[in-house]
Amino acid sequence: QFLRVTKQYLPHVARLCLISTFLEDGIRMWFQWSEQRDYIDGTWNCGYFLASIFVIINLFGQLSGCILVLSRNFVQYACFGLFGIIALQTIAYSILWDLKFLMR
């Protein structure tokens, strides 16, 4: 009886669980805009403009990918975009060289 009632909601909940990390990170970037920009500028010494562009790409890339996955529109392209965001963040935040963080 329980499965019959919840069967129509489970795919939406599953998709939300799968993209929850990207959704949280995108929302956090919105609220911590200046901290993210200052960190990228301080790490790469690229100036506020390029650091802001990086944060914008991350913010809109993650949130638009999440919206597309949840709405079931262009899911394959959205997943490729989210994978690209992961690759971009791995390089930009120097995660590749932090073995403990990378394994986690």
Side-chain angles (χ1 to χ4, degrees):
Q1 179 68 10
F2 176 74
L3 288 176
R4 268 188 264 148
V5 173
T6 60
K7 190 164 90 171
Q8 62 185 351
Y9 301 110
L10 287 178
H12 302 292
V13 172
R15 287 176 185 265
L16 182 63
C17 289
L18 288 172
I19 56 108
S20 63
T21 300
F22 294 106
L23 190 61
E24 181 272 331
D25 195 33
I27 292 170
R28 186 173 43 81
M29 280 194 175
W30 178 265
F31 287 109
Q32 294 179 348
W33 177 271
S34 60
E35 291 92 348
Q36 295 288 329
R37 183 194 61 213
D38 292 342
Y39 178 80
I40 292 298
D41 182 34
T43 301
W44 291 97
N45 215 6
C46 60
Y48 279 138
F49 179 73
L50 289 177
S52 296
I53 295 297
F54 174 79
V55 175
I56 287 171
I57 289 170
N58 269 317
L59 173 72
F60 287 117
Q62 290 183 71
L63 292 181
S64 63
C66 290
I67 290 168
L68 288 174
V69 168
L70 286 175
S71 67
R72 295 182 177 184
N73 292 321
F74 306 106
V75 174
Q76 188 174 10
Y77 296 116
C79 289
F80 284 135
L82 291 173
F83 181 76
I85 294 292
I86 290 173
L88 185 66
Q89 287 182 352
T90 300
I91 294 167
Y93 291 109
S94 302
I95 297 170
L96 191 59
W97 311 119
D98 187 3
L99 189 61
K100 183 178 177 182
F101 184 82
L102 191 62
M103 289 298 163
R104 188 170 20 133

